[in-house]
Amino acid sequence: MSLNLLKQNTSWISRVFVGLKTPFSPSCIPTRRASCPTRNNLDLTDRVALVTGGTNGIGFEIAKRLGQNGATVVVSSRSQENVDKAVDKLRSGGLKQVHGIACHIAQEDARKQMISDVVSSHGDINILVQNAGVNPHAFGIMETSGSVVDKTCQVHIKANFQIVQEVQPYMQKSDKPCSIVLTSSASAYMTSYYPGIYAITKAGVNAMTRAFAPALSKDNIRINCVTIGPIDTDFMTAVSADEDMKGVIYRNLIIKRMGKPEEVAGIAAYLASDDASYVTGESFTVSGGAFCRF
Ligand SMILES: NC(=O)c1ccc[n+]([C@@H]2O[C@H](COP(=O)([O-])OP(=O)(O)OC[C@H]3O[C@@H](n4cnc5c(N)ncnc54)[C@H](OP(=O)(O)O)[C@@H]3O)[C@@H](O)[C@H]2O)c1
């Protein structure tokens, strides 16, 4: 390598890895603190978390784990009755800072109101777990009606997309690190036995995680996605009851059983925490070892 070439390469390396003569403008560098190095980085004591679809199944267990790690938690779902029950259950399990708001995730006004209520009641919003999803109906891809396509796109694509945009101005104002966690499905990677539109729209969730990451990073907001395999919740009742379908699913798993909702909670709590301060735009699969790749 000639001396000139070596000099050019050295200067390229130093710009990228050492930050000398950085090619980035100062406006790209977040000014807010990324994390406090002295605390347990999983500790969420001073954080406020909103978990949509947080009254049952996976969302409930995520809310519980965030609360156990110290966060003030707000759980949300469509039914006020389910919200009240979930709040009672979490409080009777020992969590004190738990609250609830009823909200249909696809209703824009209700969603905006929910975010604004969280901030006015708790002073901040640092963690959003956007977990509410549409239950997949057992339709073949060719038989799926336009109304099912609309409903699935409204929740998985539009509501996920807009709630990220809606929460960003509040997180931007916070003086704490902020994290968004979306939930996708392993079916996004393998459309063979799940209904197509569910899988297609969940793949959109993985894609939007990546797409939002650079813009959010400027405000020190991270966004990641948990891509979930078969978990034994009410969502999967039809599958658990159908031995043939179960057999097809199990064939694709290394761990030959359905997962439990609490087995998803840990990764979501990690992604919400400062332990994940250098992690953004990623999708993490929790699927019993199912082969999951785009
Ligand atoms: N279980 C699995 O095997 C599996 C696999 C891959 C991905 N996922 C994803 O994981 C997420 C949670 O699933 P889960 O298995 O925990 O389901 P679940 O046990 O049926 O719980 C769903 C939760 O979401 C709420 N919800 C449903 N529709 C809503 C809406 N439009 N707006 C607001 N809240 C809504 C429900 O309460 P209300 O009825 O009161 O609204 C409930 O709290 C979903 O996004 C799902 O796609 C699940």
Side-chain angles (χ1 to χ4, degrees):
M1 190 184 284
S2 75
L3 189 60
N4 264 351
L5 203 55
L6 183 68
K7 274 185 188 160
Q8 279 168 17
N9 279 339
T10 312
S11 101
W12 178 84
I13 289 166
S14 62
R15 277 204 303 269
V16 172
F17 295 108
V18 187
L20 296 177
K21 295 182 188 170
T22 173
F24 303 107
S25 80
S27 65
C28 294
I29 302 167
T31 49
R32 196 146 36 99
R33 106 190 136 86
S35 68
C36 169
T38 53
R39 65 190 246 160
N40 167 354
N41 279 338
L42 282 171
D43 182 11
L44 300 173
T45 301
D46 54 359
R47 310 292 159 83
V48 178
L50 169 63
V51 183
T52 70
T55 62
N56 200 27
I58 295 164
F60 180 84
E61 289 300 326
I62 292 174
K64 193 203 288 180
R65 187 67 62 89
L66 296 177
Q68 286 167 343
N69 289 0
T72 294
V73 177
V74 181
V75 290
S76 152
S77 78
R78 290 166 299 183
S79 142
Q80 185 66 53
E81 193 187 343
N82 290 347
V83 169
D84 294 342
K85 274 191 203 155
V87 170
D88 284 350
K89 206 168 153 190
L90 290 166
R91 284 186 183 156
S92 61
L95 299 177
K96 296 288 169 264
Q97 295 303 320
V98 181
H99 311 271
I101 299 178
C103 170
H104 189 307
I105 203 63
Q107 291 171 357
E108 188 171 338
D109 289 346
R111 219 173 42 227
K112 286 181 174 166
Q113 189 63 50
M114 168 176 69
I115 297 170
S116 143
D117 286 351
V118 170
V119 176
S120 54
S121 302
H122 308 291
D124 214 344
I125 181 164
N126 313 110
I127 298 163
L128 167 69
V129 180
Q130 175 17 46
N131 162 76
V134 174
N135 204 331
H137 295 281
F139 298 129
I141 196 163
M142 298 306 286
E143 291 79 44
T144 305
S145 68
S147 64
V148 169
V149 174
D150 282 347
K151 186 180 170 192
T152 315
C153 288
Q154 254 171 21
V155 173
H156 292 167
I157 301 295
K158 197 170 179 199
N160 270 286
F161 193 92
Q162 290 190 313
I163 199 170
V164 172
Q165 293 178 323
E166 289 155 4
V167 84
Q168 180 268 347
Y170 295 98
M171 289 187 165
Q172 186 184 41
K173 285 188 198 131
S174 175
D175 62 352
K176 303 188 184 83
C178 294
S179 170
I180 298 171
V181 180
L182 305 180
T183 47
S184 181
S185 164
S187 65
Y189 296 119
M190 38 179 183
T191 53
S192 53
Y193 51 76
Y194 275 99
I197 191 61
Y198 176 81
I200 289 162
T201 52
K202 285 292 190 179
V205 176
N206 294 85
M208 80 174 73
T209 302
R210 193 90 197 145
F212 269 118
L216 293 170
S217 183
K218 290 180 186 155
D219 296 319
N220 199 19
I221 303 165
R222 296 178 298 98
I223 181 166
N224 291 287
C225 178
V226 183
T227 303
I228 304 167
I231 305 295
D232 198 3
T233 64
D234 293 349
F235 205 79
M236 290 293 274
T237 310
V239 172
S240 346
D242 182 332
E243 286 306 317
D244 287 345
M245 211 176 212
K246 242 161 98 172
V248 174
I249 290 179
Y250 282 22
R251 266 205 296 283
N252 198 34
L253 303 179
I254 294 175
I255 300 171
K256 302 281 181 198
R257 63 170 174 82
M258 306 264 280
K260 300 177 199 139
E262 54 269 34
E263 291 178 302
V264 184
I267 185 80
Y270 158 73
L271 290 170
S273 79
D274 294 348
D275 251 359
S277 55
Y278 197 47
V279 181
T280 196
E282 299 289 353
S283 292
F284 291 81
T285 306
V286 182
S287 67
F291 186 76
C292 291
R293 299 285 178 275
F294 277 124

